[in-house]
Amino acid sequence: MKKFIRGFGYAFSGLAHAAKTQLNFRVHLVAALISVYTGYALHIAANEWLWIGFCIALVLMAELLNTALEFLTDLVSPEYNKMAGHVKDMGAAAVVIAALFALVAGAVIFLPKILLLIHAA
């Protein structure tokens, strides 16, 4: 049980390290907070909260995995290597795909509600 609990400490340490050292991770955290605030302000439905939560988790996980991939690539290939560059580029592409999906999902959920508020005013 002690080992199991210690594993959570390692996970939170990884989150803290990413938040302290990775600008893109902090940008995604701010976007997540804005999304949560917007969802609260617009009184979105439970199923919409699930989609927002899924998108936030997806983007943050993609960013964490990309960061881990970059660290590992730098560790095994400290000098420039074309293939190492491709690995990093593909990791970044995964983040872009997740972020674009989140953007589209957010637009589908939030835009109709925002437009309704604008037209009601």
Side-chain angles (χ1 to χ4, degrees), residues 31-114:
L33 290 173
I34 291 169
S35 298
V36 169
Y37 176 79
T38 304
Y40 178 78
L42 294 175
H43 306 287
I44 63 175
N47 64 330
E48 293 170 325
W49 275 116
L50 288 173
W51 281 105
I52 295 300
F54 173 73
C55 288
I56 290 169
L58 181 69
V59 171
L60 293 179
M61 287 186 326
E63 187 62 52
L64 286 167
L65 289 170
N66 181 49
T67 299
L69 195 60
E70 287 182 353
F71 281 179
L72 184 59
T73 303
D74 289 344
L75 179 67
V76 298
S77 182
E79 61 280 336
Y80 176 77
N81 180 304
K82 187 176 179 178
M83 287 180 64
H86 291 318
V87 169
K88 288 182 169 190
D89 292 346
M90 286 185 260
V95 176
V96 168
I97 289 169
L100 287 175
F101 174 78
L103 182 66
V104 170
V108 168
I109 292 169
F110 294 135
L111 271 181
K113 292 169 178 41
I114 291 170

Side-chain angles (χ1 to χ4, degrees), residues 1-22:
M1 185 63 150
K2 197 174 185 181
K3 205 175 194 182
F4 178 75
I5 293 171
R6 196 174 6 191
F8 281 100
Y10 296 139
F12 288 118
S13 176
L15 278 172
H17 183 73
K20 286 180 201 166
T21 64
Q22 302 301 306

